[in-house]
């Protein structure tokens, strides 16, 4: 059974994977059995007594002491022997691991070659979708700004109409008190009524001004994909000294500082502001 094709010219993606064929070497013992055997065989190939010697040297560490030049020299002999053991183990590790590394690199190459093609295609389609979403968001933002401007203009008209109404009512009251005749009084009342009607209409218009469009709903395809817009924040450091003050308490930043300081001290720096640097006496084994 296969899912519905994404586009008419794109083949359907099978919903049920086909049974996997048996791969080459599937009847070999598991790697956790093979690798230790290979490592041990290579380790002892030229030095059959290596593990016995290693155990003796490791046990000797419990008896080691440095009380005078002679015993310090014996400690040096032990350290030199440990280094020889480590070198032989590392050489064996490299020899045994190399064919597996090669196999891993070949597998990685196959994986990377396929993934690079798919990632490029994915990025291309994502870019198309991003461009559409950005264009849609720009249109929605413009619509929101237009609606907000209309709301502000309507509110200003309503406020102006309300001021005119209040002024007309005040004028009508004054005219009613000072009118020389009934005709003047009625004219003032009509002007006040007209201003009140205009204020009422302006306030109704402000209340009915169009609101901004709501955010679009997520798109759901027939094949089951869901696509929605989102806002992603990006950054670029323009002043490292200033930016450092904003993240100096970050654990990763402090780790990076410790490593940078250690590199400078190893390179010969002996005075760095804000850093304590001191010598430590150690035996130098050669």
């Amino acid at each position: 059974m296969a899912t519905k094709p994404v586009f008419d010219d794109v083949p359907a993606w099978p919903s049920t994977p086909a049974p996997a064929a048996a791969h080459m070497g599937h009847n070999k013992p598991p790697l956790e059995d093979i690798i230790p055997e290979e490592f041990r065989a290579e380790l002892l190939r030229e030095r059959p007594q290596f593990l016995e010697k290693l155990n003796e040297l490791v046990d000797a560490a419990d008896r080691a002491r440095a009380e005078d030049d002679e015993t310090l020299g014996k400690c040096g002999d032990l350290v030199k022997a440990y280094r020889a053991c480590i070198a032989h183990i590392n050489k064996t590790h490299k020899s045994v691991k190399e064919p597996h590394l090669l196999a891993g690199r070949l597998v990685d190459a196959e994986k990377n070659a396929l993934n690079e093609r798919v990632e490029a295609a994915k990025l291309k389609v994502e870019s198309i979708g991003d461009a559409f979403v950005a264009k849609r968001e720009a249109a929605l933002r413009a619509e929101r700004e237009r609606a907000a401007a209309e709301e502000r203009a309507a509110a200003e008209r309503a406020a102006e109409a309300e001021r005119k109404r209040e002024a007309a009512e005040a004028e009508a009251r004054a005219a009613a008190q000072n009118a020389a005749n009934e005709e003047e009084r009625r004219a003032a009342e009509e002007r006040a009524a007209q201003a009140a009607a205009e204020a009422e209409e302006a306030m109704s218009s402000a209340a009915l001004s169009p609101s901004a469009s709501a955010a679009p709903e997520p798109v759901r395809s027939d094949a089951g994909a869901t696509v929605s817009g989102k806002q992603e924040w990006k950054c670029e450091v323009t002043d490292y000294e200033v930016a450092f003050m904003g993240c100096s308490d970050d654990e990763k930043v402090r780790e990076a500082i410790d490593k940078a300081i250690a590199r400078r001290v190893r390179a010969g720096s002996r005075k760095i502001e804000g850093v304590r640097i001191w010598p430590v006496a150690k035996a130098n084994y050669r």
Side-chain angles (χ1 to χ4, degrees), residues 116-128:
E116 284 174 4
R117 293 177 58 203
V118 178
E119 286 287 351
K122 181 171 75 73
L123 180 61
K124 184 176 182 179
V125 175
E126 285 176 343
S127 299
I128 294 172

Side-chain angles (χ1 to χ4, degrees), residues 126-169:
E126 285 176 343
S127 299
I128 294 172
D130 290 346
F132 171 79
V133 171
K135 182 178 179 181
R136 183 179 65 182
E137 177 58 28
L140 289 172
R141 185 167 56 252
E143 174 61 21
R144 288 193 295 268
E145 292 172 355
R146 183 196 63 77
E150 287 191 5
E151 288 179 3
R152 289 193 299 271
E156 290 172 1
R157 290 194 299 271
E160 178 63 22
E162 179 63 14
R163 287 192 292 270
K164 289 182 179 179
R165 180 187 67 77
E166 291 174 354
E169 288 180 348

Side-chain angles (χ1 to χ4, degrees), residues 21 27 32 52 66 107 119-120 135 159 198 203 206-207 209 238 249 273 283:
N27 57 347
E32 53 265 30
E52 287 81 353
V107 173
E119 286 287 351
K135 182 178 179 181
E198 291 176 356
M203 286 186 284
S209 60
T238 57
D249 59 345
E273 291 294 330

